[in-house]
Amino acid sequence: MSNDIYRTYQLQPPAHLNDIKTTVICPATEKHVKKYLLQETYLVEETGEDYRTITLPYIQSQSFSVQWVYNILEKKAEAERIVYEDPDQDVGFVLLPDFKWDQKQLDNLYLIAIVHRRDIKSLRDLTDMHLLLLSNIRKKGEENILKRYGLAASKLRVYLHYQPSYYHLHVHFTALSYEAPGCGVERAHLLSDVIQNIQMDSQYYQSRSLSFPLRADDNLLSKFKEAGKL
Ligand code: M7G
């Protein structure tokens, strides 16, 4: 098409510019297959009581295995990819590239900080007992991303997901310029907000309602429907 100063073309990029990054999950469970299928989603508002009576029993019976997380913490996998580790068993963590990031450019930088403690499932478990851990992740995570990638804290989006897919506490560090999947207001909770909310009220994340999206085929959605919450 050609019109004044505007033209359109069909191009075939050469092979070296044509890479497609792929992720293979094998063997995949039914739950994995569902996670990657396109589905309608519904927003659920979960009270603290709903968490204890509906969500917690559900995640205890059906959540994804966190073996891959333990492999990272025990250096059985991805050891060479670790960007920083604080080995303290109480406030320490491992910082490494998320497997969604191909590490080719900083525009879509994506790292995760995985805590050494194995007793914190999600945001819902956090109280003032965890403030040191959270501030440590924020401070040292930001310092080490600046050191390794030259990206300042003001260029980062640092947050937790609720609900996460994997119930072992971890924090997402993404480039601010990158609209990462799951960084919307219905799922992402900025680490700095989380710290301040807990400083104001230690029981903040046990008592308040939290909203999150659930896929139409998610069994947790059926549990909320059965309980008359949707
Ligand atoms: P999440 O909030 O629990 O779930 O985040 P989500 O996948 O729905 O966002 C877990 C994060 O860990 C995600 O950003 C995943 O891309 C990342 N991740 C998952 N697995 C299985 C691996 C892995 O084996 N290695 C690494 N490095 N990252 C992973």
Side-chain angles (χ1 to χ4, degrees):
M1 197 271 326
S2 170
N3 182 351
D4 188 37
I5 58 169
Y6 306 99
R7 288 178 181 75
T8 63
Y9 299 95
Q10 299 288 330
L11 301 177
Q12 272 88 45
H16 74 282
L17 297 175
N18 213 357
D19 278 3
I20 295 178
K21 179 182 165 294
T22 56
T23 302
V24 176
I25 303 175
C26 177
T29 62
E30 189 65 28
K31 207 172 153 70
H32 283 110
V33 175
K34 281 185 179 175
K35 179 170 157 70
Y36 293 95
L37 285 177
L38 196 61
Q39 271 278 318
E40 248 187 277
T41 54
Y42 296 87
L43 197 73
V44 172
E45 190 173 318
E46 176 201 71
T47 62
E49 184 61 17
D50 293 339
Y51 171 71
R52 288 179 283 278
T53 57
I54 304 172
T55 310
L56 183 58
Y58 174 78
I59 60 182
Q60 280 167 339
S61 68
Q62 318 220 0
S63 51
F64 282 127
S65 158
V66 290
Q67 188 55 49
W68 67 273
V69 171
Y70 297 156
N71 289 347
I72 290 172
L73 296 176
E74 293 165 16
K75 317 286 157 42
K76 291 180 180 160
E78 304 189 53
E80 69 295 345
R81 285 160 44 89
I82 293 176
V83 169
Y84 171 76
E85 176 173 17
D86 175 341
D88 189 285
Q89 290 304 302
D90 219 28
V91 299
F93 63 98
V94 169
L95 179 73
L96 81 169
D98 191 284
F99 76 169
K100 285 202 286 280
W101 185 33
D102 61 11
Q103 301 184 68
K104 286 192 176 153
Q105 62 279 306
L106 297 184
D107 305 11
N108 63 345
L109 172 138
Y110 200 144
L111 289 103
I112 40 172
I114 301 176
V115 304
H116 274 299
R117 287 180 62 153
R118 298 188 178 195
D119 60 338
I120 313 170
K121 287 183 285 307
S122 75
L123 198 56
R124 278 288 189 203
D125 286 338
L126 296 174
T127 67
D128 59 0
M129 304 273 288
H130 307 108
L131 281 174
L132 279 181
L133 168 69
L134 297 173
S135 333
N136 191 44
I137 295 175
R138 185 175 180 201
K139 183 169 177 291
K140 294 193 180 143
E142 289 175 349
E143 277 172 9
N144 283 282
I145 289 177
L146 178 63
K147 209 184 279 173
R148 170 71 71 99
Y149 302 102
L151 215 58
S154 58
K155 296 297 226 173
L156 294 175
R157 186 187 292 110
V158 185
Y159 57 95
L160 290 88
H161 275 158
Y162 192 74
Q163 302 282 336
S165 295
Y166 304 96
Y167 290 86
H168 174 111
L169 195 78
H170 55 276
V171 176
H172 303 250
F173 287 76
T174 63
L176 192 59
S177 54
Y178 175 48
E179 296 225 351
C183 78
V185 290
E186 75 280 28
R187 193 156 178 234
H189 297 254
L190 281 181
L191 180 58
S192 62
D193 286 348
V194 171
I195 292 173
Q196 289 183 58
N197 289 335
I198 296 174
Q199 281 168 340
M200 283 190 307
D201 174 5
S202 171
Q203 299 294 301
Y204 188 91
Y205 288 104
Q206 288 73 57
S207 54
R208 65 154 290 178
S209 293
L210 296 173
S211 295
F212 50 83
L214 284 177
R215 301 160 53 91
D217 60 4
D218 194 319
N219 292 334
L220 184 55
L221 187 71
S222 316
K223 300 276 175 210
F224 271 84
K225 280 187 183 154
E226 282 162 23
K229 302 281 174 177
L230 210 81

